[in-house]
Each structure stands twice: as C-alpha cells, then as structure tokens.
Amino acid sequence: MPGMDKVNQWLNFVQQLLYPPHCLLCGGAAVERDLCAACLLDLPHNPVACRLCALPLTAQEEGVCGFCLKQPAPLDGSIIPFRYAAPLDHLLLGLKFSQQLPNAPLLGGLLAEAIAAREEALPDCILPVPLHPARLRERGYNQALELARPVARHLGVPLRAGLAVRLKHTAAQSTLEKRGRRANIRGAFALSVEGGELPAHIAILDDVVTTGSTVNELARVLRRGGAQRVVVWACARVP
Ligand SMILES: [Zn+2]
Ligand SMILES: [Zn+2]
C-alpha cells in the first residue's frame, strides 16, 4: 500500500518532534542511529583484521593472524566491524546483561551497514548463536537473536534461528582460558533441521567474539551437516 509509506513517514516525523532521539551512550542529541556525533566518532573500529577470524591486526600485518596461520579457523571469513572496547562495550554489556534491548537495533544497524559495505555475496540465511534453554529462561531473550533481527531486515537475508540448538549449559566462557574454552564448548551444539538440508551458505551471528571457540564449534557442526560456506558476523572482537 503506497499510501502507508507516507503515513509512516509522517508518524516518524511527529515522533521525532515529540521525542527527539537521545544518544544511547551519553543522553545527548542523537544524529544518527541513536548516537550523538561525538559517540559515533568514538566507536572503536576494527579496520585491519584477520580474513578468517577478524582478530585485529596492525596495518603492516594484513591477511591472516598468527593463530589462523597455525590452525585456520573453520570459517570462510568473518565480518566484525568493531573491537571490544569503550564506549561500545557499554552497549554490548547492557544488551547482554541488563535488558537494554533498545541497543539491539542500533548495534544491528551498525553491523548491517558494515556487512553491506563489503559488497560480498550474502548468505542464504543467518543463524544467531543459540542459547541453552536454561540460560534463555534466566535472561528472557537471546541477545544474538535480538541483534540478528535488524541485520536480517536491513540486508534482506532470512533468519533461521531454529537451525541449531545448544545442548550444553556450559560454564560462562569468560571465566576460562583459551584451551579450556575449546574443551568446554565441544559438543555444545546440534543441528535441528527437520529432515531438510542445511542451506549452503550460512552466516553465524553473535554479539561478541572472544577467542572464537563458540562460533568455531558451531561452524564445525554446520560443516559436518553439509554447509559449504560458513561465515561469522559479530559486533565486536576481543583483541
Ligand atoms: Zn553520545
Ligand atoms: Zn585469524
């Protein structure tokens, strides 16, 4: 209905007049995507990163990181536009632990923008990293799914949150060293495709990638299930 667009535009206009958008970080006047100009400039970008796991690299390094040289991440690539640092960490922590759901459209929008700028072939679907049902009950939502919704909408890629399930209620990954994380996460995911085949090209979506053990384990499961191309999309990479 073409008339509805006009009505929506008008409603947006009225809403902006009555409730001018505030920066989600400092409360100042927002200019773009719920951030003010200063906070937008402060975002910790990740411009030079490993082609496979998106670990931040120095400008001289380029290509693949030292970890992936020794043992390549089981991924065809990662797009993680930011480093996990202030002030972005505040938005991510709020989304994950403090029910700050309005942060999801902002963070998802920023991620979608970065993905679109790469002009790479888009995947057949997006799979947000599943939460264990017990963790989901405790938190009330899956922050990866909340982020995936706006990304799917912006890019026009289907969301397939039901492709995989989390079997293990693992200890919080953040309390473990890298070696322990890999053991802790092994066997944590299983496919749940109902008789159908897996899409050929899947993007795993998470909020933050720390050592990569979670997304790598999920990627292994998808590959074993027949996926041909698996990439990771996330907001922030821990250096
Ligand atoms: Zn601000
Ligand atoms: Zn790497």
Side-chain angles (χ1 to χ4, degrees), residues 23 26 36 39:
C23 175
C26 71
C36 72
C39 289

XYZ file of all heavy atoms in Angstrom, residues 23 26 36 39, ligand 1:
25
model
N 21.070 10.065 22.446
C 22.208 9.163 22.303
C 22.120 8.089 23.391
O 21.977 8.406 24.575
C 23.502 9.959 22.441
S 24.974 8.951 22.421
N 25.378 8.724 25.863
C 25.585 9.887 26.741
C 24.317 10.692 26.981
O 24.334 11.636 27.771
C 26.681 10.786 26.173
S 26.152 11.656 24.698
N 25.051 10.219 19.372
C 25.396 11.600 19.039
C 26.667 11.589 18.192
O 27.330 10.551 18.068
C 25.597 12.425 20.309
S 27.112 12.012 21.178
N 29.875 10.412 20.171
C 29.927 8.978 20.497
C 30.101 8.140 19.228
O 30.786 7.118 19.237
C 28.685 8.560 21.269
S 28.669 9.216 22.958
Zn 26.687 10.411 22.849
